[in-house]
Amino acid sequence: MTRELGPTRAVAATHPIAVVVALGAANVAIVAFVLGRPEWAPLALAALVAIPILAALVVKLVERPQRGVLLLAALIPLDGLHEIVPYPSGWKEALVLVTLAATFVAPPEARAAPGRRLPSWAIVVGAFFALGVVSAVGVGPEQGLVGLRVIFFYVLVALAVWRCPLGARERDQLVTILMVLGVVTAAYGIAQQVIGETRLVDFGYSFERSVRTAGGYLRSFSTFFTNFPFALFLMLVLLIGIPSALVDPKRLRNRLFLLCIPVLLGCLVVSITRAAWIGLVVGVVYIGVVRYRSLLVVLAHGVVWIALALVVAGGISGVFLSGDSLQERFDIWGNNVSQIAEHPVGQGIGSTGSAADKLTEQRGKSTKDVLQPDNYYFKTTLELGVLGLWLLLLVFVTAFSSVHRTARKLRGYDGALATGVAASVLAAATVSLVATYFEVFPMDAYFWMLLAVVATCVPESR
């Protein structure tokens, strides 16, 4: 008994000490700033409040790092508010690193048992990362580090979950967080249609970055930077939430979520993002085949109703059925496919997409000439060659097969969660045909987080 309680008491004892140290540091900062630079007084006063809170948060994360994972899951869908509410943009990376560091000093009862066998997808991801490192060495540290960060940074979330797995109650809380955020962001997305694009720009949103239109219709983006991550997030919420809600439809949380599904679907419509609909259909078909056959009937009826709605709503149907964006993608792929033959081992990590955008902005140049492949398989082949494409395919195959096997073993809420995650992996693999999925934040963070959560539901044999 003494041995088990010792680490917890030690961590709890640091709590007041950390707060006192933080308060002292804040007061020292206030004295220094106010005496030397009076204009910094507001910043120093903010530090007086923020530093103790951050110190207390770190202590709580050390006690149980799983709290950091849940906090990350709850906050990352709101990151798009940064455009109208100023706050440090690096908070996400800081939270991930602090949570991961906490797993190394957390009490033994918060950590997983040693000696577990890694899931098959983890080994493939390791090989994929090794290839990325080799490519980064070839292109130089500046481009290489940016490319590695864009592709692999949120794999650290999976590592944190693997070291400190979520308990059954925390896994249920994770599903609740996704359900609640899905409904809240969908409500705000519908409200944006009422507010209108002019008022949104007046609020501080930038035109053509967040405020976008298609055929004269505003594409709702909610608390995200653009409509695309918003729609993909709603897709993920539906794929995770539907099987979890059907486990126990009488539970209040599940009943409310099922009643809110029309709101989520309605907001998917006003986001005008066809890739999310394609991924949703693929995922729902999987859920219907392996667990809830009635969903296939609902899906069939839904397709009929959507087809009728598109016929009646002539204006918006033209936007959804337009082939212009797909033709643009075909043109991009056709114009650049020859580069694969010229560079069979790839042009180097970070040479296209989001990483190239960041590098170009850092150099003070325009990003209009940066290649946006709009296909993660094509992007990977351009940057890391045929070997990179093969490893990416292996990531999807091993991730799906691992989660699918786990879903077949489990029942109840864990089984439903694993089913939803398997459906989301299929959806991600499908959406990657028309989008650079792992560059669409926060979908990359959720992808690795959910994979690791399911992998720790049923620990592998030693």
Side-chain angles (χ1 to χ4, degrees):
M1 181 64 71
T2 302
R3 181 180 61 83
E4 294 177 355
L5 292 179
T8 303
R9 287 176 179 170
V11 173
T14 63
H15 182 85
I17 296 175
V19 173
V20 170
V21 171
L23 283 171
N27 281 283
V28 170
I30 288 176
V31 173
F33 291 159
V34 172
L35 292 180
R37 298 291 295 272
E39 65 273 17
W40 288 4
L43 179 62
L45 291 174
L48 176 64
V49 176
I51 293 178
I53 294 175
L54 293 176
L57 175 62
V58 170
V59 170
K60 289 297 182 182
L61 293 186
V62 171
E63 290 177 357
R64 191 156 181 81
Q66 291 86 340
R67 294 167 181 161
V69 176
L70 295 178
L71 184 62
L72 183 71
L75 293 181
I76 52 179
L78 309 177
D79 190 49
L81 295 175
H82 181 263
E83 191 161 7
I84 59 174
V85 181
Y87 54 83
S89 59
W91 69 268
K92 309 177 293 294
E93 292 81 0
L95 180 56
V96 171
L97 293 175
V98 170
T99 301
L100 180 60
T103 64
F104 291 91
V105 294
E109 57 267 25
R111 298 199 295 262
R116 296 166 300 153
R117 188 173 63 194
L118 288 170
S120 54
W121 56 263
I123 300 171
V124 179
V125 172
F128 197 23
F129 176 72
L131 178 62
V133 171
V134 172
S135 180
V137 172
V139 298
E142 183 184 15
Q143 178 177 329
L145 290 176
V146 172
L148 288 173
R149 181 173 65 82
V150 168
I151 297 176
F152 296 106
F153 180 80
Y154 288 101
V155 177
L156 297 178
V157 180
L159 179 58
V161 173
W162 179 256
R163 290 185 52 81
C164 292
L166 275 63
R169 182 179 178 183
E170 290 162 331
R171 293 193 292 270
D172 187 64
Q173 290 172 345
L174 176 60
V175 173
T176 302
I177 287 171
L178 291 174
M179 288 180 173
V180 171
L181 285 171
V183 175
V184 170
T185 56
Y188 184 43
I190 292 176
Q192 287 176 337
Q193 295 292 320
V194 179
I195 295 171
E197 56 189 87
T198 303
R199 290 290 304 279
L200 289 171
V201 172
D202 292 339
F203 289 165
Y205 290 109
S206 59
F207 194 74
E208 291 301 331
R209 185 194 181 188
S210 296
V211 182
R212 301 180 181 183
T213 59
Y217 295 94
L218 174 66
R219 309 176 77 169
S220 291
F221 55 92
S222 188
T223 59
F224 298 77
F225 280 108
T226 69
N227 61 292
F228 210 85
F230 174 44
L232 292 179
F233 176 70
L234 293 180
M235 175 197 77
L236 177 69
V237 168
L238 287 165
L239 294 178
I240 299 297
I242 288 174
S244 296
L246 293 177
V247 169
D248 182 10
K250 294 183 179 180
R251 181 179 172 183
L252 180 60
R253 180 201 73 175
N254 298 340
R255 191 185 313 156
L256 291 175
F257 178 79
L258 292 173
L259 291 174
C260 289
I261 286 179
V263 177
L264 298 174
L265 294 176
C267 215
L268 262 180
V269 172
V270 296
S271 70
I272 314 179
T273 308
R274 287 175 294 183
W277 282 101
I278 296 171
L280 179 62
V281 169
V282 170
V284 169
V285 168
Y286 169 80
I287 296 171
V289 169
V290 302
R291 193 166 287 262
Y292 298 108
R293 298 296 173 87
S294 58
L295 280 180
L296 298 177
V297 178
V298 174
L299 179 63
H301 283 82
V303 170
V304 173
W305 281 105
I306 290 174
L308 290 174
L310 290 176
V311 171
V312 174
I316 197 170
S317 66
V319 176
F320 272 97
L321 300 177
S322 173
D324 292 344
S325 61
L326 186 60
Q327 184 59 49
E328 290 177 3
R329 286 175 168 82
F330 280 130
D331 291 341
I332 291 173
W333 302 335
N335 293 335
N336 293 278
V337 69
S338 60
Q339 297 184 29
I340 297 175
E342 296 174 7
H343 305 278
V345 295
Q347 299 175 359
I349 193 169
S351 57
T352 65
S354 177
D357 267 345
K358 294 180 185 299
L359 286 168
T360 304
E361 290 177 354
Q362 290 174 6
R363 294 164 181 166
K365 299 180 180 178
S366 173
T367 60
K368 64 179 182 179
D369 295 328
V370 173
L371 176 61
Q372 301 293 342
D374 287 328
N375 180 315
Y376 205 76
Y377 303 102
F378 190 62
K379 169 190 168 60
T380 303
T381 309
L382 285 174
E383 292 190 358
L384 300 178
V386 178
L387 179 58
L389 174 63
W390 178 63
L391 288 174
L392 176 64
L393 291 171
L394 277 182
V395 168
F396 281 127
V397 170
T398 54
F400 173 74
S401 61
S402 176
V403 179
H404 175 68
R405 285 196 304 270
T406 302
R408 295 180 63 182
K409 296 177 184 177
L410 299 175
R411 295 292 179 267
Y413 281 114
D414 281 343
L417 174 60
T419 301
V421 174
S424 71
V425 172
L426 282 180
T430 304
V431 173
S432 292
L433 291 168
V434 292
T436 50
Y437 188 85
F438 290 98
E439 291 185 346
V440 181
F441 181 82
M443 304 314 299
D444 52 346
Y446 281 124
F447 183 89
W448 301 116
M449 178 191 298
L450 292 169
L451 270 186
V453 168
V454 173
T456 54
C457 285
V458 181
E460 297 285 351
S461 60
R462 292 171 181 260

